[in-house]
């Protein structure tokens, strides 16, 4: 008896050079002999030959290909994921970024976990760094690797705490179709990094809606994927900008599920809490930030979190 479908959704922007490696790996998935599944490439207005790359793979895989292509004209990774969810036929939707390569048993491990944890509306696994050059040897690099969507929480399942924004990234994330369709609104507040804006948080926004609807968010250590980190993403300026941008979404995220009466209280607590964190960190590392990359990144994250209140007030609602 054939099991329900599993849908892989790949949001991509100018991903022609990255998609072949990912598509090849997906075709090498194991343990799916009795599993119907499909791959959806959601092209978010690419200016390269992404469409041609997908067409080539469709022709190579033949008329029974499980690979489909969709163009999403509204810019932003949030819109690409929403489009993928609308087109998906699977009971489970696996969102995979075009620069993230899943292990051969990634889909099988996801299906097993979903059956064991029916209350999990979404779950992610171990996301390892696939570095072009070795990262800084300092063990403290682990403090900032989450900014690069690297997550390694050990070998035991655990439940994330959305109330503290303790959540997985969407680089390799599985969501139940039922949870998504019943919880996520058609228009996101945070759309992803578009143009010159580095404001993120759109993946957390999705998960916070699921949390509000009563679903749990879990970590499945049996799912492994490898996030490609090119050399430029280890450069100091990129890391500082990324850390600042991650912090900048803080107030937006804390306000998502708040009622009108709760918002002034949450706004004040967020402002004072972030001010305290930034001051404490800045005083501790004052005069050392130029020579301590880890401390400088943490400082930018705290500073961005503090400015998130202002960004929330000034962002078009």
């Amino acid at each position: 008896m054939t099991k329900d479908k599993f849908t892989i959704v790949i949001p991509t922007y100018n991903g022609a050079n990255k998609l072949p490696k990912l598509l090849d790996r997906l075709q090498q998935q194991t343990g799916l002999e009795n599993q119907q599944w499909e791959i959806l490439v959601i092209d978010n207005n690419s200016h390269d030959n992404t469409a041609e790359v997908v067409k080539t793979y469709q022709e190579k895989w033949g008329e029974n290909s499980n690979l489909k292509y969709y163009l999403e004209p509204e810019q932003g990774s949030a819109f690409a994921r929403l489009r993928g969810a609308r087109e998906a036929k699977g009971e489970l939707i696996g969102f995979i970024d075009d620069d993230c390569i899943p292990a051969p048993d990634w889909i099988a491990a996801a299906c097993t976990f979903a059956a064991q944890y029916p209350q999990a509306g979404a779950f992610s696994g171990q996301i390892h760094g696939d570095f072009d050059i070795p990262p800084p040897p300092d063990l403290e690099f682990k403090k900032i690797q989450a900014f690069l969507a690297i997550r390694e929480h050990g070998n035991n399942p655990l439940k994330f705490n959305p109330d503290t924004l303790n959540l997985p990234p969407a680089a390799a994330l599985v969501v139940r179709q039922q949870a998504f369709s019943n919880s996520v609104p058609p228009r996101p507040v945070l759309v992803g990094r578009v143009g010159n804006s580095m404001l993120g948080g759109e993946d957390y926004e999705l998960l916070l809606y699921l949390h509000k609807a009563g679903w749990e968010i879990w970590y499945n250590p049996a799912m492994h994927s490898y996030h490609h980190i090119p050399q430029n993403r280890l450069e100091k300026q990129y890391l500082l900008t990324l850390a600042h941008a991650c912090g900048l979404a803080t107030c937006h995220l804390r306000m998502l599920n708040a009622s009108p009466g709760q918002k002034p209280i949450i706004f004040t607590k967020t402002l004072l809490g972030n001010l305290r964190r930034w001051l404490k960190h800045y005083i501790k590392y004052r005069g050392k930030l130029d020579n301590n990359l880890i401390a400088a990144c943490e400082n930018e994250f705290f500073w961005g979190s503090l400015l998130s209140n202002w960004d929330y007030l000034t962002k078009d609602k």
Side-chain angles (χ1 to χ4, degrees):
M1 181 177 180
T2 302
K3 297 180 181 178
D4 293 330
K5 280 189 175 180
F6 189 103
T7 299
I8 292 288
V9 172
I10 306 172
T12 186
Y13 175 72
N14 291 340
N17 292 328
K18 294 178 282 189
L19 284 172
K21 184 177 181 180
L22 173 54
L23 293 176
D24 287 341
R25 175 56 61 88
L26 287 173
Q27 281 300 99
Q28 297 167 5
Q29 290 291 297
T30 60
L32 303 179
E33 292 78 10
N34 298 315
Q35 176 75 58
Q36 288 188 4
W37 64 292
E38 60 181 353
I39 304 169
L40 311 185
V41 175
I42 312 298
D43 185 349
N44 200 200
N45 290 320
S46 296
H47 301 301
D48 62 3
N49 62 328
T50 289
E52 288 77 7
V53 169
V54 177
K55 183 178 180 181
T56 298
Y57 271 83
Q58 288 174 321
E59 293 172 348
K60 183 169 67 172
W61 292 349
E63 61 181 20
N64 295 323
S65 170
N66 60 348
L67 175 62
K68 301 173 185 177
Y69 170 89
Y70 297 94
L71 176 66
E72 173 48 55
E74 194 154 15
Q75 201 68 47
S77 58
F79 295 116
R81 292 191 183 101
L82 284 169
R83 177 66 181 275
R86 288 199 303 269
E87 303 292 349
K89 294 183 174 65
E91 178 185 296
L92 297 173
I93 304 172
F95 294 104
I96 300 182
D97 285 358
D98 59 11
D99 59 355
C100 198
I101 305 299
D105 63 347
W106 193 84
I107 295 177
C111 293
T112 299
F113 189 86
Q116 294 174 340
Y117 293 82
Q119 72 278 25
F123 51 92
S124 184
Q126 302 198 47
I127 305 177
H128 310 288
D130 177 20
F131 298 93
D132 281 353
I133 62 172
D138 190 340
L139 291 176
E140 290 203 336
F141 180 74
K142 290 184 178 294
K143 290 184 177 180
I144 65 168
Q145 67 180 13
F147 298 140
L148 296 168
I150 298 172
R151 305 297 171 89
E152 297 162 326
H153 299 300
N155 297 320
N156 297 311
L158 62 85
K159 186 169 68 171
F160 289 103
N161 184 3
D163 292 329
T164 61
L165 300 184
N166 175 25
L167 292 166
L173 177 74
V174 178
V175 180
R176 292 186 192 274
Q177 175 71 272
Q178 177 189 358
F180 193 105
S181 59
N182 293 341
S183 308
V184 180
R187 298 292 303 180
V189 174
L190 300 170
V191 303
R193 298 182 177 102
V194 177
N196 294 325
S197 173
M198 286 288 285
L199 178 63
E202 75 283 356
D203 44 358
Y204 281 19
E205 177 178 354
L206 182 162
L207 295 172
L208 287 171
Y209 291 135
L210 268 61
H211 171 61
K212 183 180 180 180
W215 292 96
E216 296 176 355
I217 316 299
W218 279 79
Y219 165 74
N220 173 17
M223 290 165 50
H224 294 264
S225 58
Y226 300 84
H227 188 207
H228 179 224
I229 310 296
Q231 181 176 348
N232 70 297
R233 292 191 182 183
L234 291 179
E235 293 175 357
K236 181 177 181 179
Q237 190 54 53
Y238 179 88
L239 287 170
L240 293 177
T241 302
L242 182 61
H244 184 87
C246 290
L248 207 57
T250 302
C251 189
H252 295 281
L253 292 170
R254 293 196 179 280
M255 291 294 193
L256 278 177
N257 293 333
S259 67
Q262 293 172 325
K263 286 186 176 181
I265 299 173
I266 293 175
F267 184 91
T268 302
K269 286 185 175 180
T270 301
L271 177 65
L272 294 177
N274 288 328
L275 176 60
R276 178 180 175 277
R277 281 200 307 174
W278 175 73
L279 278 174
K280 182 178 179 181
H281 186 270
Y282 182 77
I283 291 171
K284 180 178 180 179
Y285 290 100
R286 183 174 48 190
K288 303 176 183 177
L289 296 177
D290 288 340
N291 301 314
N292 187 326
L293 175 62
I294 307 303
C297 286
E298 290 178 316
N299 185 71
E300 282 299 320
F301 175 73
F302 295 144
W303 179 242
S305 298
L306 178 58
L307 294 182
S308 71
N309 287 71
W310 172 254
D311 194 78
Y312 173 80
L313 289 177
T314 57
K315 183 178 174 64
D316 291 335
K317 299 295 189 290

